């Protein structure tokens, strides 16, 4: 298949991904004051609402109708650690990795920091990433080699070159929200060395904040492919860097993620190493 044909296929998928997140965003917005039943998943910190499920159903239905041969990995349907491994060797060219609401705790509490995240992967690598915050109407998009955009305007990572100038974000895994945890110790290592720390509560949006130069670093353990598939491409297309905790290029099957503008990456890895 020639390059131009492949690009045009991905251009169509890109437009579809944007259409789907906007439609899911409309659905979520219409439920802002009425979240329906809230259920616990693995524990009291790991929650899902009826709106997560309805958003996911809408996305799965649309993708399946338009692209019946593509595989779909989504949080509430396939939420198990090895799900990505099962899917990535699937026969079809493209796979869709979706989080119908990334930042469910924020959604439940009315904190306007959650998003719909759609990543399209080919041969295990993200080629399209779309993240939409339906409250602020911020739409982050990227296509591999075509750059990253916020509401259609190109974005780039920040130019900070030291940790001392950097605001760094992180988050707790739902299963590890306790004092003395690894992330608490890592925050302690950064205290006084970075400009400040933030815990916003949506990994996909954190990667987009990083991609648009508003924070300079982000790390998180225990993420799943639906949290990162879109955001990682948006970040790398904006000039950023993503690795595992040892500095190896980040893969969707990795458990740890360290992301930055590139310039502070080494210093960040060294500082949060325990
Ligand atoms: P969620 O809202 O879709 O659950 C919070 O720091 C970030 O981590 C959010 O993106 C949240 O996604 C994600 N997260 C929290 N607990 C998680 C878990 N057990 N597995 C995967 N991702 C999790
Ligand atoms: Ca989710």
């Amino acid at each position: 298949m020639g390059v131009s044909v492949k690009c045009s296929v991905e251009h169509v998928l890109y437009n579809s991904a944007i259409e789907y997140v906007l439609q899911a965003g409309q659905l979520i917005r219409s439920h802002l004051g009425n979240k329906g039943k809230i259920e616990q998943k693995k524990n009291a910190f790991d929650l899902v609402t009826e709106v997560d499920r309805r958003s996911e159903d809408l996305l799965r239905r649309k993708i399946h109708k338009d692209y019946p041969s593509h595989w779909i990995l989504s949080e509430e349907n396939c939420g198990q650690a090895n799900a990505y491994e099962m899917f990535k060797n699937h026969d079809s060219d493209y796979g869709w990795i979706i989080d119908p609401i990334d930042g469910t705790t924020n959604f439940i509490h009315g904190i306007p920091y959650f998003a719909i995240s759609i990543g399209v992967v080919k041969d295990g690598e993200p080629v399209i990433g779309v993240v939409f915050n339906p409250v602020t109407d911020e739409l982050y998009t990227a296509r591999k080699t075509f750059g990253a955009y916020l509401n259609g305007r190109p974005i780039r990572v920040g130019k900070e070159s030291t940790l001392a100038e950097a605001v760094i974000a992180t988050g707790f895994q739902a299963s590890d929200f306790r004092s003395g945890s690894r992330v608490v110790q890592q925050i302690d290592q950064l205290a006084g060395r970075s400009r400040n720390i933030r815990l916003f509560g949506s990994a996909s949006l954190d990667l987009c904040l990083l991609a648009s130069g508003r924070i300079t670093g982000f790390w998180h353990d225990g993420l799943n492919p639906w949290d990162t598939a879109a955001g990682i491409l948006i970040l790398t297309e904006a000039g950023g860097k993503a690795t595992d905790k040892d500095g190896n290029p980040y893969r969707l099957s990795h458990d740890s993620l360290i992301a930055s503008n590139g310039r502070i990456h080494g210093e960040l890895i060294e500082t949060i190493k325990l």
Side-chain angles (χ1 to χ4, degrees):
M1 190 188 275
V3 170
S4 60
V5 174
K6 184 179 131 210
C7 289
S8 69
V9 168
E10 289 180 10
H11 190 69
V12 173
L13 298 177
Y14 179 69
N15 286 333
S16 294
I18 292 171
E19 180 193 320
Y20 304 152
V21 292
L22 294 178
Q23 288 179 5
Q26 211 167 28
L27 174 105
I28 293 168
R29 242 191 331 249
S30 73
H31 287 82
L32 281 181
N34 172 27
K35 299 172 188 81
K37 206 163 126 243
I38 298 167
E39 288 170 43
Q40 290 186 14
K41 291 200 278 187
K42 292 187 199 112
N43 57 49
F45 311 113
D46 199 0
L47 305 172
V48 61
T49 71
E50 272 174 46
V51 186
D52 293 67
R53 297 196 201 286
R54 288 178 67 163
S55 170
E56 181 166 300
D57 286 349
L58 178 149
L59 294 167
R60 290 188 73 97
R61 251 186 297 113
K62 291 200 174 284
I63 295 165
H64 187 66
K65 177 168 168 286
D66 294 345
Y67 305 102
S69 68
H70 294 183
W71 56 265
I72 306 171
L73 171 63
S74 57
E75 180 170 16
E76 310 312 338
N77 242 271
C78 330
Q80 47 185 325
N82 65 352
Y84 179 61
E85 291 302 321
M86 286 160 28
F87 274 98
K88 78 176 187 200
N89 298 321
H90 199 279
D91 283 347
S92 81
D93 272 356
Y94 292 99
W96 297 69
I97 303 185
I98 63 184
D99 192 339
I101 299 183
D102 182 41
T104 297
T105 303
N106 285 345
F107 172 69
I108 290 169
H109 287 264
I111 300 167
Y113 194 83
F114 52 85
I116 303 114
S117 171
I118 299 188
V120 181
V121 302
K122 187 174 192 323
D123 303 325
E125 296 294 330
V127 291
I128 289 161
V130 176
V131 173
F132 180 49
N133 180 334
V135 183
T136 59
D137 259 336
E138 287 172 301
L139 175 67
Y140 295 90
T141 58
R143 260 179 82 195
K144 197 171 174 65
T145 75
F146 286 82
Y149 299 85
L150 165 54
N151 292 342
R153 291 187 306 278
I155 51 174
R156 294 294 294 172
V157 291
K159 294 187 167 52
E160 300 79 12
S161 57
T162 64
L163 208 48
E165 304 165 276
V167 173
I168 311 287
T170 187
F172 284 98
Q173 307 176 53
S175 55
D176 196 27
F177 178 46
R178 57 188 171 83
S179 68
S181 68
R182 185 178 153 81
V183 69
V184 169
Q185 293 175 45
Q186 289 170 312
I187 290 171
D188 198 37
Q189 297 285 339
L190 276 169
R193 295 196 170 99
S194 63
R195 182 163 286 168
N196 219 318
I197 306 284
R198 294 288 183 268
L199 284 81
F200 295 115
S202 166
S204 63
L205 281 177
D206 292 347
L207 289 167
C208 292
L209 280 191
L210 177 52
S212 51
R214 292 177 282 179
I215 60 173
T216 314
F218 170 68
W219 89 97
H220 207 300
D221 284 342
L223 291 175
N224 282 303
W226 44 84
D227 300 312
T228 59
I232 286 294
L233 184 69
I234 293 166
L235 172 66
T236 52
E237 285 296 312
K241 182 168 178 174
T243 68
D244 68 4
K245 64 180 181 336
D246 300 315
N248 304 307
Y250 177 76
R251 301 264 165 267
L252 292 179
S253 48
H254 282 163
D255 186 57
S256 67
L257 166 64
I258 299 188
S260 78
N261 68 344
R263 297 182 184 205
I264 64 147
H265 209 85
E267 209 187 344
L268 178 58
I269 288 185
E270 280 310 308
T271 309
I272 62 176
K273 201 174 258 177
L274 293 175

mmCIF file with all atom_site columns, all heavy atoms in Angstrom, residues 41 46-48 52 56 75-76 98-105 115 226-227, ligand 2:
data_model
loop_
_atom_site.group_PDB
_atom_site.id
_atom_site.type_symbol
_atom_site.label_atom_id
_atom_site.label_alt_id
_atom_site.label_comp_id
_atom_site.label_asym_id
_atom_site.label_entity_id
_atom_site.label_seq_id
_atom_site.pdbx_PDB_ins_code
_atom_site.Cartn_x
_atom_site.Cartn_y
_atom_site.Cartn_z
_atom_site.occupancy
_atom_site.B_iso_or_equiv
_atom_site.pdbx_formal_charge
_atom_site.auth_seq_id
_atom_site.auth_comp_id
_atom_site.auth_asym_id
_atom_site.auth_atom_id
_atom_site.pdbx_PDB_model_num
ATOM   1   N  N   . LYS A 1 41  ? -15.777 -0.609 41.640 1.00 0.00 ? 41  LYS A N   1
ATOM   2   C  CA  . LYS A 1 41  ? -15.204 -1.717 40.870 1.00 0.00 ? 41  LYS A CA  1
ATOM   3   C  C   . LYS A 1 41  ? -14.389 -2.580 41.828 1.00 0.00 ? 41  LYS A C   1
ATOM   4   O  O   . LYS A 1 41  ? -14.952 -3.366 42.571 1.00 0.00 ? 41  LYS A O   1
ATOM   5   C  CB  . LYS A 1 41  ? -14.392 -1.181 39.703 1.00 0.00 ? 41  LYS A CB  1
ATOM   6   C  CG  . LYS A 1 41  ? -15.301 -0.534 38.645 1.00 0.00 ? 41  LYS A CG  1
ATOM   7   C  CD  . LYS A 1 41  ? -14.646 -0.428 37.287 1.00 0.00 ? 41  LYS A CD  1
ATOM   8   C  CE  . LYS A 1 41  ? -13.756 0.785  37.221 1.00 0.00 ? 41  LYS A CE  1
ATOM   9   N  NZ  . LYS A 1 41  ? -13.221 1.015  35.861 1.00 0.00 ? 41  LYS A NZ  1
ATOM   10  N  N   . ASP A 1 46  ? -12.225 2.990  43.361 1.00 0.00 ? 46  ASP A N   1
ATOM   11  C  CA  . ASP A 1 46  ? -12.253 2.648  41.935 1.00 0.00 ? 46  ASP A CA  1
ATOM   12  C  C   . ASP A 1 46  ? -13.724 2.585  41.512 1.00 0.00 ? 46  ASP A C   1
ATOM   13  O  O   . ASP A 1 46  ? -14.402 1.601  41.781 1.00 0.00 ? 46  ASP A O   1
ATOM   14  C  CB  . ASP A 1 46  ? -11.569 1.275  41.764 1.00 0.00 ? 46  ASP A CB  1
ATOM   15  C  CG  . ASP A 1 46  ? -11.142 1.028  40.342 1.00 0.00 ? 46  ASP A CG  1
ATOM   16  O  OD1 . ASP A 1 46  ? -11.366 1.911  39.492 1.00 0.00 ? 46  ASP A OD1 1
ATOM   17  O  OD2 . ASP A 1 46  ? -10.613 -0.063 40.076 1.00 0.00 ? 46  ASP A OD2 1
ATOM   18  N  N   . LEU A 1 47  ? -14.203 3.661  40.891 1.00 0.00 ? 47  LEU A N   1
ATOM   19  C  CA  . LEU A 1 47  ? -15.642 3.816  40.668 1.00 0.00 ? 47  LEU A CA  1
ATOM   20  C  C   . LEU A 1 47  ? -16.006 3.827  39.191 1.00 0.00 ? 47  LEU A C   1
ATOM   21  O  O   . LEU A 1 47  ? -15.190 4.162  38.335 1.00 0.00 ? 47  LEU A O   1
ATOM   22  C  CB  . LEU A 1 47  ? -16.113 5.125  41.307 1.00 0.00 ? 47  LEU A CB  1
ATOM   23  C  CG  . LEU A 1 47  ? -15.789 5.280  42.793 1.00 0.00 ? 47  LEU A CG  1
ATOM   24  C  CD1 . LEU A 1 47  ? -16.123 6.693  43.266 1.00 0.00 ? 47  LEU A CD1 1
ATOM   25  C  CD2 . LEU A 1 47  ? -16.535 4.249  43.631 1.00 0.00 ? 47  LEU A CD2 1
ATOM   26  N  N   . VAL A 1 48  ? -17.253 3.470  38.923 1.00 0.00 ? 48  VAL A N   1
ATOM   27  C  CA  . VAL A 1 48  ? -17.793 3.584  37.567 1.00 0.00 ? 48  VAL A CA  1
ATOM   28  C  C   . VAL A 1 48  ? -19.249 4.041  37.680 1.00 0.00 ? 48  VAL A C   1
ATOM   29  O  O   . VAL A 1 48  ? -19.943 3.671  38.634 1.00 0.00 ? 48  VAL A O   1
ATOM   30  C  CB  . VAL A 1 48  ? -17.665 2.248  36.788 1.00 0.00 ? 48  VAL A CB  1
ATOM   31  C  CG1 . VAL A 1 48  ? -18.422 1.121  37.448 1.00 0.00 ? 48  VAL A CG1 1
ATOM   32  C  CG2 . VAL A 1 48  ? -18.105 2.402  35.335 1.00 0.00 ? 48  VAL A CG2 1
ATOM   33  N  N   . ASP A 1 52  ? -20.410 6.472  32.439 1.00 0.00 ? 52  ASP A N   1
ATOM   34  C  CA  . ASP A 1 52  ? -19.242 5.814  31.828 1.00 0.00 ? 52  ASP A CA  1
ATOM   35  C  C   . ASP A 1 52  ? -19.743 4.733  30.862 1.00 0.00 ? 52  ASP A C   1
ATOM   36  O  O   . ASP A 1 52  ? -19.282 4.629  29.721 1.00 0.00 ? 52  ASP A O   1
ATOM   37  C  CB  . ASP A 1 52  ? -18.372 5.101  32.873 1.00 0.00 ? 52  ASP A CB  1
ATOM   38  C  CG  . ASP A 1 52  ? -17.684 6.032  33.856 1.00 0.00 ? 52  ASP A CG  1
ATOM   39  O  OD1 . ASP A 1 52  ? -18.391 6.674  34.665 1.00 0.00 ? 52  ASP A OD1 1
ATOM   40  O  OD2 . ASP A 1 52  ? -16.453 6.121  33.839 1.00 0.00 ? 52  ASP A OD2 1
ATOM   41  N  N   . GLU A 1 56  ? -19.418 4.628  26.818 1.00 0.00 ? 56  GLU A N   1
ATOM   42  C  CA  . GLU A 1 56  ? -18.699 3.524  26.182 1.00 0.00 ? 56  GLU A CA  1
ATOM   43  C  C   . GLU A 1 56  ? -19.572 2.802  25.152 1.00 0.00 ? 56  GLU A C   1
ATOM   44  O  O   . GLU A 1 56  ? -19.107 2.468  24.055 1.00 0.00 ? 56  GLU A O   1
ATOM   45  C  CB  . GLU A 1 56  ? -18.207 2.542  27.244 1.00 0.00 ? 56  GLU A CB  1
ATOM   46  C  CG  . GLU A 1 56  ? -17.428 1.393  26.635 1.00 0.00 ? 56  GLU A CG  1
ATOM   47  C  CD  . GLU A 1 56  ? -16.662 0.612  27.672 1.00 0.00 ? 56  GLU A CD  1
ATOM   48  O  OE1 . GLU A 1 56  ? -15.808 1.195  28.356 1.00 0.00 ? 56  GLU A OE1 1
ATOM   49  O  OE2 . GLU A 1 56  ? -16.922 -0.590 27.797 1.00 0.00 ? 56  GLU A OE2 1
ATOM   50  N  N   . GLU A 1 75  ? -12.323 0.405  28.528 1.00 0.00 ? 75  GLU A N   1
ATOM   51  C  CA  . GLU A 1 75  ? -12.106 0.157  29.951 1.00 0.00 ? 75  GLU A CA  1
ATOM   52  C  C   . GLU A 1 75  ? -13.199 -0.685 30.597 1.00 0.00 ? 75  GLU A C   1
ATOM   53  O  O   . GLU A 1 75  ? -12.911 -1.655 31.280 1.00 0.00 ? 75  GLU A O   1
ATOM   54  C  CB  . GLU A 1 75  ? -11.978 1.479  30.714 1.00 0.00 ? 75  GLU A CB  1
ATOM   55  C  CG  . GLU A 1 75  ? -11.762 1.218  32.204 1.00 0.00 ? 75  GLU A CG  1
ATOM   56  C  CD  . GLU A 1 75  ? -11.394 2.453  33.000 1.00 0.00 ? 75  GLU A CD  1
ATOM   57  O  OE1 . GLU A 1 75  ? -11.583 3.573  32.508 1.00 0.00 ? 75  GLU A OE1 1
ATOM   58  O  OE2 . GLU A 1 75  ? -10.917 2.264  34.130 1.00 0.00 ? 75  GLU A OE2 1
ATOM   59  N  N   . GLU A 1 76  ? -14.456 -0.305 30.398 1.00 0.00 ? 76  GLU A N   1
ATOM   60  C  CA  . GLU A 1 76  ? -15.512 -0.972 31.159 1.00 0.00 ? 76  GLU A CA  1
ATOM   61  C  C   . GLU A 1 76  ? -15.892 -2.327 30.568 1.00 0.00 ? 76  GLU A C   1
ATOM   62  O  O   . GLU A 1 76  ? -16.492 -3.158 31.225 1.00 0.00 ? 76  GLU A O   1
ATOM   63  C  CB  . GLU A 1 76  ? -16.746 -0.069 31.304 1.00 0.00 ? 76  GLU A CB  1
ATOM   64  C  CG  . GLU A 1 76  ? -16.471 1.343  31.799 1.00 0.00 ? 76  GLU A CG  1
ATOM   65  C  CD  . GLU A 1 76  ? -15.559 1.443  33.035 1.00 0.00 ? 76  GLU A CD  1
ATOM   66  O  OE1 . GLU A 1 76  ? -15.451 0.452  33.784 1.00 0.00 ? 76  GLU A OE1 1
ATOM   67  O  OE2 . GLU A 1 76  ? -14.927 2.499  33.211 1.00 0.00 ? 76  GLU A OE2 1
ATOM   68  N  N   . ILE A 1 98  ? -10.247 2.805  23.938 1.00 0.00 ? 98  ILE A N   1
ATOM   69  C  CA  . ILE A 1 98  ? -11.077 3.928  24.386 1.00 0.00 ? 98  ILE A CA  1
ATOM   70  C  C   . ILE A 1 98  ? -11.311 3.940  25.899 1.00 0.00 ? 98  ILE A C   1
ATOM   71  O  O   . ILE A 1 98  ? -11.465 2.905  26.531 1.00 0.00 ? 98  ILE A O   1
ATOM   72  C  CB  . ILE A 1 98  ? -12.445 3.976  23.648 1.00 0.00 ? 98  ILE A CB  1
ATOM   73  C  CG1 . ILE A 1 98  ? -13.302 2.763  23.924 1.00 0.00 ? 98  ILE A CG1 1
ATOM   74  C  CG2 . ILE A 1 98  ? -12.230 4.131  22.162 1.00 0.00 ? 98  ILE A CG2 1
ATOM   75  C  CD1 . ILE A 1 98  ? -14.607 2.753  23.133 1.00 0.00 ? 98  ILE A CD1 1
ATOM   76  N  N   . ASP A 1 99  ? -11.285 5.146  26.440 1.00 0.00 ? 99  ASP A N   1
ATOM   77  C  CA  . ASP A 1 99  ? -11.724 5.359  27.817 1.00 0.00 ? 99  ASP A CA  1
ATOM   78  C  C   . ASP A 1 99  ? -12.921 6.312  27.736 1.00 0.00 ? 99  ASP A C   1
ATOM   79  O  O   . ASP A 1 99  ? -12.776 7.466  27.350 1.00 0.00 ? 99  ASP A O   1
ATOM   80  C  CB  . ASP A 1 99  ? -10.603 5.962  28.672 1.00 0.00 ? 99  ASP A CB  1
ATOM   81  C  CG  . ASP A 1 99  ? -10.962 5.916  30.157 1.00 0.00 ? 99  ASP A CG  1
ATOM   82  O  OD1 . ASP A 1 99  ? -12.163 5.816  30.473 1.00 0.00 ? 99  ASP A OD1 1
ATOM   83  O  OD2 . ASP A 1 99  ? -10.033 5.976  30.985 1.00 0.00 ? 99  ASP A OD2 1
ATOM   84  N  N   . PRO A 1 100 ? -14.111 5.810  28.098 1.00 0.00 ? 100 PRO A N   1
ATOM   85  C  CA  . PRO A 1 100 ? -15.321 6.621  27.915 1.00 0.00 ? 100 PRO A CA  1
ATOM   86  C  C   . PRO A 1 100 ? -15.385 7.814  28.852 1.00 0.00 ? 100 PRO A C   1
ATOM   87  O  O   . PRO A 1 100 ? -15.997 8.828  28.519 1.00 0.00 ? 100 PRO A O   1
ATOM   88  C  CB  . PRO A 1 100 ? -16.453 5.645  28.213 1.00 0.00 ? 100 PRO A CB  1
ATOM   89  C  CG  . PRO A 1 100 ? -15.850 4.602  29.089 1.00 0.00 ? 100 PRO A CG  1
ATOM   90  C  CD  . PRO A 1 100 ? -14.413 4.476  28.640 1.00 0.00 ? 100 PRO A CD  1
ATOM   91  N  N   . ILE A 1 101 ? -14.790 7.689  30.044 1.00 0.00 ? 101 ILE A N   1
ATOM   92  C  CA  . ILE A 1 101 ? -14.552 8.846  30.925 1.00 0.00 ? 101 ILE A CA  1
ATOM   93  C  C   . ILE A 1 101 ? -13.226 8.584  31.637 1.00 0.00 ? 101 ILE A C   1
ATOM   94  O  O   . ILE A 1 101 ? -13.116 7.638  32.426 1.00 0.00 ? 101 ILE A O   1
ATOM   95  C  CB  . ILE A 1 101 ? -15.657 9.052  31.993 1.00 0.00 ? 101 ILE A CB  1
ATOM   96  C  CG1 . ILE A 1 101 ? -17.029 9.295  31.353 1.00 0.00 ? 101 ILE A CG1 1
ATOM   97  C  CG2 . ILE A 1 101 ? -15.286 10.252 32.888 1.00 0.00 ? 101 ILE A CG2 1
ATOM   98  C  CD1 . ILE A 1 101 ? -18.160 9.585  32.360 1.00 0.00 ? 101 ILE A CD1 1
ATOM   99  N  N   . ASP A 1 102 ? -12.237 9.389  31.350 1.00 0.00 ? 102 ASP A N   1
ATOM   100 C  CA  . ASP A 1 102 ? -10.968 9.289  32.074 1.00 0.00 ? 102 ASP A CA  1
ATOM   101 C  C   . ASP A 1 102 ? -10.962 10.398 33.120 1.00 0.00 ? 102 ASP A C   1
ATOM   102 O  O   . ASP A 1 102 ? -10.922 11.578 32.770 1.00 0.00 ? 102 ASP A O   1
ATOM   103 C  CB  . ASP A 1 102 ? -9.782  9.443  31.117 1.00 0.00 ? 102 ASP A CB  1
ATOM   104 C  CG  . ASP A 1 102 ? -8.469  9.283  31.866 1.00 0.00 ? 102 ASP A CG  1
ATOM   105 O  OD1 . ASP A 1 102 ? -8.404  8.397  32.728 1.00 0.00 ? 102 ASP A OD1 1
ATOM   106 O  OD2 . ASP A 1 102 ? -7.529  10.056 31.606 1.00 0.00 ? 102 ASP A OD2 1
ATOM   107 N  N   . GLY A 1 103 ? -11.047 9.986  34.380 1.00 0.00 ? 103 GLY A N   1
ATOM   108 C  CA  . GLY A 1 103 ? -11.199 10.965 35.463 1.00 0.00 ? 103 GLY A CA  1
ATOM   109 C  C   . GLY A 1 103 ? -12.593 10.822 36.068 1.00 0.00 ? 103 GLY A C   1
ATOM   110 O  O   . GLY A 1 103 ? -13.254 11.806 36.383 1.00 0.00 ? 103 GLY A O   1
ATOM   111 N  N   . THR A 1 104 ? -13.029 9.575  36.244 1.00 0.00 ? 104 THR A N   1
ATOM   112 C  CA  . THR A 1 104 ? -14.390 9.318  36.735 1.00 0.00 ? 104 THR A CA  1
ATOM   113 C  C   . THR A 1 104 ? -14.641 9.942  38.112 1.00 0.00 ? 104 THR A C   1
ATOM   114 O  O   . THR A 1 104 ? -15.726 10.468 38.364 1.00 0.00 ? 104 THR A O   1
ATOM   115 C  CB  . THR A 1 104 ? -14.657 7.795  36.768 1.00 0.00 ? 104 THR A CB  1
ATOM   116 O  OG1 . THR A 1 104 ? -14.569 7.321  35.432 1.00 0.00 ? 104 THR A OG1 1
ATOM   117 C  CG2 . THR A 1 104 ? -16.024 7.460  37.325 1.00 0.00 ? 104 THR A CG2 1
ATOM   118 N  N   . THR A 1 105 ? -13.635 9.913  38.991 1.00 0.00 ? 105 THR A N   1
ATOM   119 C  CA  . THR A 1 105 ? -13.834 10.498 40.328 1.00 0.00 ? 105 THR A CA  1
ATOM   120 C  C   . THR A 1 105 ? -14.118 11.992 40.202 1.00 0.00 ? 105 THR A C   1
ATOM   121 O  O   . THR A 1 105 ? -15.002 12.539 40.873 1.00 0.00 ? 105 THR A O   1
ATOM   122 C  CB  . THR A 1 105 ? -12.601 10.226 41.221 1.00 0.00 ? 105 THR A CB  1
ATOM   123 O  OG1 . THR A 1 105 ? -12.403 8.810  41.265 1.00 0.00 ? 105 THR A OG1 1
ATOM   124 C  CG2 . THR A 1 105 ? -12.812 10.741 42.635 1.00 0.00 ? 105 THR A CG2 1
ATOM   125 N  N   . ALA A 1 115 ? -12.199 13.465 30.720 1.00 0.00 ? 115 ALA A N   1
ATOM   126 C  CA  . ALA A 1 115 ? -12.161 13.491 29.252 1.00 0.00 ? 115 ALA A CA  1
ATOM   127 C  C   . ALA A 1 115 ? -12.592 12.159 28.669 1.00 0.00 ? 115 ALA A C   1
ATOM   128 O  O   . ALA A 1 115 ? -12.594 11.130 29.350 1.00 0.00 ? 115 ALA A O   1
ATOM   129 C  CB  . ALA A 1 115 ? -10.740 13.806 28.794 1.00 0.00 ? 115 ALA A CB  1
ATOM   130 N  N   . TRP A 1 226 ? -5.911  2.272  27.941 1.00 0.00 ? 226 TRP A N   1
ATOM   131 C  CA  . TRP A 1 226 ? -6.968  3.254  27.617 1.00 0.00 ? 226 TRP A CA  1
ATOM   132 C  C   . TRP A 1 226 ? -6.703  4.611  28.271 1.00 0.00 ? 226 TRP A C   1
ATOM   133 O  O   . TRP A 1 226 ? -7.242  5.613  27.834 1.00 0.00 ? 226 TRP A O   1
ATOM   134 C  CB  . TRP A 1 226 ? -8.358  2.741  27.998 1.00 0.00 ? 226 TRP A CB  1
ATOM   135 C  CG  . TRP A 1 226 ? -8.424  2.096  29.339 1.00 0.00 ? 226 TRP A CG  1
ATOM   136 C  CD1 . TRP A 1 226 ? -8.574  2.715  30.536 1.00 0.00 ? 226 TRP A CD1 1
ATOM   137 C  CD2 . TRP A 1 226 ? -8.325  0.693  29.623 1.00 0.00 ? 226 TRP A CD2 1
ATOM   138 N  NE1 . TRP A 1 226 ? -8.565  1.797  31.547 1.00 0.00 ? 226 TRP A NE1 1
ATOM   139 C  CE2 . TRP A 1 226 ? -8.415  0.547  31.026 1.00 0.00 ? 226 TRP A CE2 1
ATOM   140 C  CE3 . TRP A 1 226 ? -8.176  -0.456 28.835 1.00 0.00 ? 226 TRP A CE3 1
ATOM   141 C  CZ2 . TRP A 1 226 ? -8.357  -0.688 31.646 1.00 0.00 ? 226 TRP A CZ2 1
ATOM   142 C  CZ3 . TRP A 1 226 ? -8.102  -1.682 29.460 1.00 0.00 ? 226 TRP A CZ3 1
ATOM   143 C  CH2 . TRP A 1 226 ? -8.195  -1.797 30.847 1.00 0.00 ? 226 TRP A CH2 1
ATOM   144 N  N   . ASP A 1 227 ? -5.855  4.636  29.315 1.00 0.00 ? 227 ASP A N   1
ATOM   145 C  CA  . ASP A 1 227 ? -5.505  5.922  29.930 1.00 0.00 ? 227 ASP A CA  1
ATOM   146 C  C   . ASP A 1 227 ? -4.474  6.676  29.085 1.00 0.00 ? 227 ASP A C   1
ATOM   147 O  O   . ASP A 1 227 ? -4.350  7.891  29.207 1.00 0.00 ? 227 ASP A O   1
ATOM   148 C  CB  . ASP A 1 227 ? -4.878  5.715  31.325 1.00 0.00 ? 227 ASP A CB  1
ATOM   149 C  CG  . ASP A 1 227 ? -5.802  4.991  32.301 1.00 0.00 ? 227 ASP A CG  1
ATOM   150 O  OD1 . ASP A 1 227 ? -6.975  5.392  32.403 1.00 0.00 ? 227 ASP A OD1 1
ATOM   151 O  OD2 . ASP A 1 227 ? -5.349  4.035  32.958 1.00 0.00 ? 227 ASP A OD2 1
HETATM 152 CA CA1 . LIG B 2 .   ? -12.330 5.495  32.778 1.00 0.00 ? 2   LIG B CA1 1
#
